[in-house]
Amino acid sequence: MDKKITIPGEVSFVAGLLLVSFAISLMVIAGFGISTISSLPYVLSCIFNQISFGIWNPVFQIGLLVVLLAITKRFKSGYMISIVLSVLFGMILDFFVHTLAGLPTEFWQRLLYFIAGYPLMCVAIALMVGSKIPLMIIDTFLNDLTIFFHVTYRRIKTLFDIICVVLSVLLSMAFLGHLEGVGIGTVILACITGLGVHVVNTALSKVIVIKPWSSKLGGMVK
């Protein structure tokens, strides 16, 4: 059996962060709808366009952290890293959205962007979750609520996705008069992203081992 390659968790997370930002940017240009998690910040950026899509992401996530703290009344040191990572994610996302803004937008090209974005997003999520370092606020929010309420992650994630989509639709129709960020692509991603991440995780686990350089990072999320 071939020896597996060891990749630092910090490298894995940064690679995932870059890939997911790029994938989301492609899906924004595709215009078929983006992931449920990104839909609400995107709609807010369309309504209050003085603030960019990238900046709305950490604003949204920090809001989730406030809600989490109000519910659990427990602060973890890893939350500070999560805040920094969320801000970094927003900056990278704005960079890619701006950089890719000039891409051609014929129907077949937009379809290609969406199709390419899906596997990139799955790989990105697998790398970020597998990094074993403090996750983005949104991941921490879902994980900690799962533990606090003693329910399955799937139940919390499903409820969260529904709330995000409903709010996105309501805000879009109320302020813009049409749907933004939510479409057939959103439904497709909600149905198949979990499967895609599982497939990528299985494939990656056969060839690589992800381990953080710093042993303290893993303990910060506990």
Side-chain angles (χ1 to χ4, degrees):
M1 182 181 293
D2 294 335
K3 186 176 180 180
K4 294 182 180 180
I5 301 170
T6 299
I7 296 178
E10 294 82 352
V11 173
S12 172
F13 189 91
V14 171
L17 200 64
L18 291 170
L19 279 176
V20 76
S21 302
F22 183 69
I24 292 173
S25 300
L26 283 177
M27 291 176 177
V28 167
I29 297 171
F32 296 112
I34 56 179
S35 64
T36 54
I37 291 175
S38 299
S39 62
L40 190 52
Y42 182 72
V43 169
L44 290 171
S45 73
C46 293
I47 297 171
F48 307 102
N49 52 24
Q50 301 89 343
I51 302 176
S52 68
F53 176 35
I55 299 303
W56 266 114
N57 271 273
V59 170
F60 171 60
Q61 295 198 43
I62 290 172
L64 291 179
L65 180 57
V66 172
V67 172
L68 177 64
L69 292 174
I71 294 173
T72 64
K73 296 178 175 57
R74 182 190 176 195
F75 184 86
K76 300 178 183 178
S77 56
Y79 291 166
M80 295 306 298
I81 294 181
S82 294
I83 291 173
V84 173
L85 292 175
S86 296
V87 173
L88 179 61
F89 167 66
M91 295 170 64
I92 296 172
L93 183 57
D94 271 349
F95 169 77
F96 279 124
V97 169
H98 178 74
T99 302
L100 301 178
L103 288 177
T105 55
E106 294 293 333
F107 177 81
W108 69 271
Q109 293 166 325
R110 293 191 294 114
L111 185 60
L112 183 62
Y113 301 153
F114 183 84
I115 293 173
Y118 169 68
L120 289 175
M121 180 173 291
C122 292
V123 172
I125 294 172
L127 288 174
M128 292 169 72
V129 173
S131 66
K132 299 179 178 66
I133 64 175
L135 302 174
M136 301 282 284
I137 292 175
I138 201 157
D139 300 305
T140 302
F141 176 81
L142 295 172
N143 288 332
D144 287 7
L145 284 185
T146 296
I147 296 171
F148 183 80
F149 288 114
H150 303 289
V151 296
T152 62
Y153 178 86
R154 182 175 182 178
R155 179 174 296 181
I156 288 289
K157 179 66 165 62
T158 299
L159 179 60
F160 180 75
D161 285 346
I162 292 173
I163 291 173
C164 283
V165 171
V166 169
L167 287 176
S168 297
V169 170
L170 292 176
L171 289 172
S172 290
M173 298 307 297
F175 289 92
L176 302 172
H178 61 275
L179 288 180
E180 280 288 352
V182 178
I184 183 62
T186 306
V187 177
I188 293 173
L189 290 173
C191 293
I192 66 174
T193 298
L195 174 62
V197 172
H198 174 73
V199 170
V200 172
N201 267 327
T202 302
L204 289 179
S205 65
K206 295 179 180 179
V207 294
I208 67 172
V209 174
I210 302 175
K211 184 178 180 180
W213 275 318
S214 173
S215 59
K216 293 180 180 180
L217 285 175
M220 294 178 75
V221 297
K222 297 179 182 179

